[in-house]
């Protein structure tokens, strides 16, 4: 398909120094090591202008994006609220109704004191703000394999990521250089997440191999059929205490538990520490807790979850094995009101709280 070809071209251009024809040979790994000095050149922001500049590091002030979005209502472009993602509608085999294709799972409000899901007006305003950000030169995540007309979509058609992309761009802490390993891994994982969440036929997932497995924290490893059946939440929370997360919940029940908490739940790659075929990376998941979780109402606080990932990929960059390492219990404790968001902010779950330095 056109989307698949576009992804292949992107990978070939972006990864030329990483993947040679004889993939994963010593010469390939040498090329990868040579490229490490280049991938540290991540884009960062110049807050006064919004232009992209090259800078070592790659961190990005979260508060900057709150100033973007045009000069007022009159500048907002006309948008199609429920514009479809690239490709056809697929086979109309809806498993349940959703308020919009932008809030299929996370259906919380944008601000505290209001109720989700977002109205048509709010979604149109979000689309206009996203367009304004993209017009300044910023890049939205690329999710591939969405244009096959034979795709069996869980909600009857392809998802729309306008709202998710907006909150990702406004809240991310890294701007990865074009073609960097971080950018490639981020797009690959986001594409896999799209397929796992929206394609009901696991045989139509283009991001995984036939013998693909996934698990977390040394708990149970799931094959593709079983992971597709129980869902991502159960797969990655299998060892959590039942009082915190009940893995006997069905696929739909797990998403129903979460769907009122946030308007969207962005995810980003922070750093990639090793190249193919075994890719080690750190990541961050976040959202403003504007909604409700198990009766506990959020106050708009930023809730962050950090972790590590180890992915083994095939020569054509399909996922063979994914292992995630993180502390989901602390995240759920914040949502239940048993822990302050500040206690796990900034990666404390990943590196620990630290201790006073004794002179």
């Amino acid at each position: 398909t056109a989307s698949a070809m576009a992804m292949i071209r992107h990978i070939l251009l972006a990864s030329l120094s990483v993947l040679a024809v004889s993939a994963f040979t010593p010469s390939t790994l040498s090329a990868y090591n040579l490229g490490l000095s280049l991938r540290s050149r991540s884009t960062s922001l110049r807050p006064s202008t919004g232009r992209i500049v090259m800078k070592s590091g790659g961190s990005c002030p979260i508060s900057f994006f709150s100033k973007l979005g045009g000069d007022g209502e009159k500048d907002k472009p006309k948008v199609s609220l429920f514009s479809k993602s690239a490709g056809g509608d697929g086979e109309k085999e809806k498993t349940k109704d959703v308020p919009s294709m932008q809030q299929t799972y996370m259906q919380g409000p944008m601000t505290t004191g209001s109720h989700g899901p977002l109205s048509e007006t709010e979604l149109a305003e979000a689309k206009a703000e996203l367009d304004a950000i993209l017009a300044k030169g910023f890049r939205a995540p690329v999710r591939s394999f969405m244009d096959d007309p034979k795709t069996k979509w869980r909600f009857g058609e392809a998802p729309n990521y306008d709202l998710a992309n907006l909150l990702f761009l406004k809240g991310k802490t890294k701007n990865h250089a074009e073609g960097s390993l971080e950018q490639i891994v981020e797009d690959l994982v986001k594409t896999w997440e799209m397929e796992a969440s929206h394609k009901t036929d696991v045989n139509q997932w283009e991001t995984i191999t036939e013998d693909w497995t996934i698990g977390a924290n040394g708990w149970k490893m799931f094959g593709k059929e079983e992971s597709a059946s129980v869902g991502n939440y159960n797969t990655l929370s299998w060892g959590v205490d039942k009082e915190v997360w009940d893995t006997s919940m069905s696929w739909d029940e797990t998403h129903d538990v979460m769907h009122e908490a946030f308007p969207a739940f962005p995810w980003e790659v922070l750093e990639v520490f090793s190249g193919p075929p075994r890719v080690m990376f750190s990541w961050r998941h976040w959202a403003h807790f504007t909604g409700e979780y198990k009766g506990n109402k959020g106050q708009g606080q930023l809730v962050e979850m950090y972790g590590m990932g180890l992915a083994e990929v095939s020569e054509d960059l399909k996922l063979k094995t994914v292992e995630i390492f993180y502390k989901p219990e602390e995240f759920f404790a914040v949502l239940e009101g048993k822990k302050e968001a500040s206690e796990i902010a900034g990666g404390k779950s990943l590196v620990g709280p630290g201790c006073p330095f004794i002179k």
Side-chain angles (χ1 to χ4, degrees), residues 92-144:
K92 300 288 187 178
E93 296 185 0
K94 250 188 226 185
T95 60
K96 61 190 298 186
D97 290 325
V98 291
S100 79
M101 294 310 296
Q102 294 191 51
Q103 284 195 305
T104 53
Y105 294 115
M106 295 300 166
Q107 299 172 14
M110 289 288 276
T111 58
T112 56
S114 57
H115 298 280
L118 271 62
S119 67
E120 294 186 4
T121 299
E122 289 174 310
L123 289 174
E125 290 175 349
K127 178 62 166 62
E129 186 176 5
L130 173 64
D131 288 343
I133 292 174
L134 297 178
K136 293 178 182 291
F138 296 100
R139 176 188 184 274
V142 175
R143 297 171 178 86
S144 302

Side-chain angles (χ1 to χ4, degrees), residues 172-192:
K172 67 190 180 81
T173 61
K174 297 286 184 177
N175 279 327
H176 301 305
E178 187 67 27
S180 64
L181 280 172
E182 284 82 3
Q183 185 185 85
I184 293 171
V185 172
E186 189 170 81
D187 284 348
L188 175 59
V189 173
K190 285 181 179 292
T191 299
W192 164 77

